[in-house]
Amino acid sequence: MKRIGFLSFGHYQDVPGSLVHTAQDALVQTIELAVAAEEVGVDGAYVRVHHFAPQFASPFPLLAAMAARTSRIELGTGVIDMRYENPLYMAEEAAITDLIGNRRLQLGLSRGSPETALRGYESFGYGPADGETDADQARRHTAIFRAAIDGAAVAQANPAMTGGMGGGLAIDPQSPGLSERVWWGSGTRATAKWAAEQGMNLMSSTLLTEDTGVPFDELQAEQIQIFRDEWKEQGHAFEPRVSVSRSIIPLVSDADRNYFGLRGQIEGKDQVGHLDGGLARFGRSFIGEPDVIAAELARDAAVQAADTVLVTVPNQLGVDYNAALLESIVKHVAPAAGWR
């Protein structure tokens, strides 16, 4: 059985056709979509994090609200840009959110992607140390965060306030098990191997920031195999999870065909372009009749290698449309693709 989640970027814009005009619309509708997704049998509700853009930003208040309104569905991020984060404050927020949700949090972290702000993380008060790159900085923040949620001492006790007791203090509260539900968003084979070395689950999207000329799903499947091989070599104490993201639009209703029918002819193949100073390969969209795209997904090597599929949703079309979209995937695509 393969888990199915939705991934929302939380776009909002006051333009014709959008049902998400404001940030409040995006936040409230995402809570409502998590409730609806749980009702139709979806397994996860994930949000993408961006800064300096009309999309979701700091995710934990939203995740906590989703946790309070649901009981079963996993709640996660895909991904948090760790260049921007205070890792100890984030550890407190993550533990609190996880406890509210009865330990359903799945945290995808990463270095982040190209963004609208020039070194925006510096405006948040963070930057690489001498000799570091921004990727090094993100990994350093991640290491501090992971140590903190795992109960490591991160501050020295003040004997004047602790009855003369010295020693180290961990953050409070702690949420046992959260450290095994941290994922690394990887765009290359090399970073997938690094994630396995570190003992983090693997999250891979519809974009790889390298290209070898092979189809996207084959390159991503190679990335997953490298991750699994390295995980086995490291001998970590738990079984890792692997998620891949896909754009999946089954054409079931007139609304589906009106919105996406023509796009299926354009976006049905991989795209190669330049991103962040190098070649990148973008995965195709799966748009069509449910039985057709189910067969295509059953042949997708990376989807078959993963245990979780995150479906990117067109959130600006509103809750009702996206709830129906997810229900179509659960009822029609997933069984035919062999996921259920």
Side-chain angles (χ1 to χ4, degrees):
M1 179 172 170
K2 210 174 290 291
R3 290 181 175 91
I4 302 168
F6 75 79
L7 174 62
S8 176
F9 281 52
H11 294 286
Y12 54 92
Q13 193 172 9
D14 190 8
V15 295
S18 173
L19 298 180
V20 188
H21 297 160
T22 67
Q24 182 177 16
D25 292 339
L27 295 164
V28 171
Q29 288 186 26
T30 302
I31 298 166
E32 294 171 352
L33 183 58
V35 173
E38 184 171 78
E39 291 173 351
V40 302
V42 170
D43 305 299
Y46 289 71
V47 296
R48 182 71 166 91
V49 178
H50 284 281
H51 299 282
F52 300 108
Q55 300 175 46
F56 294 135
S58 300
F60 290 103
L62 174 59
L63 292 169
M66 294 160 69
R69 291 283 305 279
T70 58
S71 61
R72 176 191 59 80
I73 199 168
E74 293 181 339
L75 306 164
T77 55
V79 290
I80 297 173
D81 185 339
M82 292 301 290
R83 297 174 298 179
Y84 281 83
E85 297 298 322
N86 176 323
L88 299 185
Y89 185 76
M90 178 177 161
E92 293 179 340
E93 288 193 310
I96 291 167
T97 304
D98 197 38
L99 292 171
I100 291 171
N102 196 22
R103 298 177 176 86
R104 290 181 284 138
L105 199 58
Q106 303 286 342
L107 284 178
L109 318 177
S110 191
R111 188 215 70 167
S113 58
E115 54 182 349
T116 55
L118 183 63
R119 297 188 301 278
Y121 44 86
E122 293 181 358
S123 297
F124 276 54
Y126 308 110
D130 290 343
E132 279 189 333
T133 66
D134 64 335
D136 295 330
Q137 173 204 348
R139 293 183 180 194
R140 173 167 50 83
H141 281 194
T142 299
I144 297 169
F145 167 76
R146 293 181 66 212
I149 62 172
D150 207 27
V154 293
Q156 288 298 308
N158 178 359
M161 301 297 294
T162 58
M165 301 277 296
L169 298 175
I171 64 150
D172 215 349
Q174 292 279 319
S175 184
L178 179 57
S179 60
E180 293 186 3
R181 288 178 274 117
V182 175
W183 309 56
W184 187 256
S186 172
T188 66
R189 293 164 295 175
T191 54
K193 184 173 187 276
W194 178 83
E197 291 170 353
Q198 302 302 310
M200 289 184 281
N201 303 291
L202 179 66
M203 187 173 280
S204 190
S205 73
T206 54
L207 164 69
L208 292 171
T209 53
E210 60 182 347
D211 181 50
T212 64
V214 304
F216 177 86
D217 69 305
E218 294 181 17
L219 182 58
Q220 193 171 50
E222 181 184 347
Q223 178 197 40
I224 293 169
Q225 190 58 53
I226 289 170
F227 169 81
R228 293 196 186 281
D229 290 345
E230 185 60 32
W231 189 280
K232 184 177 180 180
E233 181 72 20
Q234 294 292 327
H236 297 300
F238 66 97
E239 282 297 310
R241 288 181 58 184
V242 173
S243 76
V244 295
S245 299
R246 292 293 183 267
S247 175
I248 303 172
I249 309 285
L251 300 180
V252 174
S253 67
D254 289 341
D256 296 330
R257 294 181 179 88
N258 289 337
Y259 283 129
F260 297 104
L262 291 177
R263 286 179 60 178
Q265 303 173 29
I266 301 169
E267 299 179 13
K269 61 176 68 175
D270 296 350
Q271 302 291 327
V272 177
H274 291 272
L275 183 70
D276 210 16
L279 278 179
R281 182 168 284 264
F282 302 82
R284 56 163 295 188
S285 296
F286 294 83
I287 303 173
E289 298 301 316
D291 59 333
V292 174
I293 61 175
E296 293 171 340
L297 287 163
R299 295 191 296 269
D300 186 306
V303 168
Q304 295 309 306
D307 59 75
T308 302
V309 177
L310 300 183
V311 178
T312 57
V313 294
N315 76 284
Q316 286 185 278
L317 295 182
V319 176
D320 290 344
Y321 180 82
N322 282 294
L325 167 68
L326 293 170
E327 186 172 21
S328 294
I329 292 171
V330 170
K331 286 187 173 181
H332 303 301
V333 177
W339 300 352
R340 295 285 168 97

